[in-house]
Amino acid sequence: MMAVYYTCKHCKVDIGRLDVNTIETTNLGFNQLTDHEREEYLSYDDQGHVHVKSICEDCYEMLRRNPDYHALDSFIQ
């Protein structure tokens, strides 16, 4: 069984996990990513699991309320 792990790229909190027998990247929308985005947001471990850097609700709200934070490398203190 393979898994897709979602982690917030800002605060590193675990967002969730999908357990699947096979991963159809088109069903997950990975085919919509550019090559650069795939390199930046997707990684694979030795067991074949996919790790996706995403954004959690708290960080999303923080960025929505403070759009100038987008210019920072890190806004988590």
Side-chain angles (χ1 to χ4, degrees):
M1 169 129 3
M2 300 167 75
V4 181
Y5 295 93
Y6 290 86
T7 304
C8 181
K9 67 181 184 174
H10 299 288
C11 68
K12 310 298 186 245
V13 71
D14 291 329
I15 298 170
R17 182 178 91 191
L18 295 174
D19 293 313
V20 292
N21 289 327
T22 59
I23 297 174
E24 282 295 326
T25 57
T26 55
N27 291 341
L28 297 174
F30 296 164
N31 62 320
Q32 301 294 315
L33 299 173
T34 66
D35 289 340
H36 176 73
E37 290 168 333
R38 278 190 204 97
E39 278 186 35
E40 186 174 347
Y41 298 117
L42 303 178
S43 62
Y44 302 86
D45 65 23
D46 293 338
Q47 292 79 35
H49 303 304
V50 180
H51 295 266
V52 181
K53 292 180 188 173
S54 188
I55 185 167
C56 69
E57 290 180 30
D58 292 333
C59 290
Y60 173 79
E61 279 301 313
M62 179 72 71
L63 287 168
R64 189 183 66 75
R65 284 183 270 136
N66 302 283
D68 54 311
Y69 284 5
H70 284 282
L72 304 174
D73 288 333
S74 175
F75 60 89
I76 304 296
Q77 301 285 324

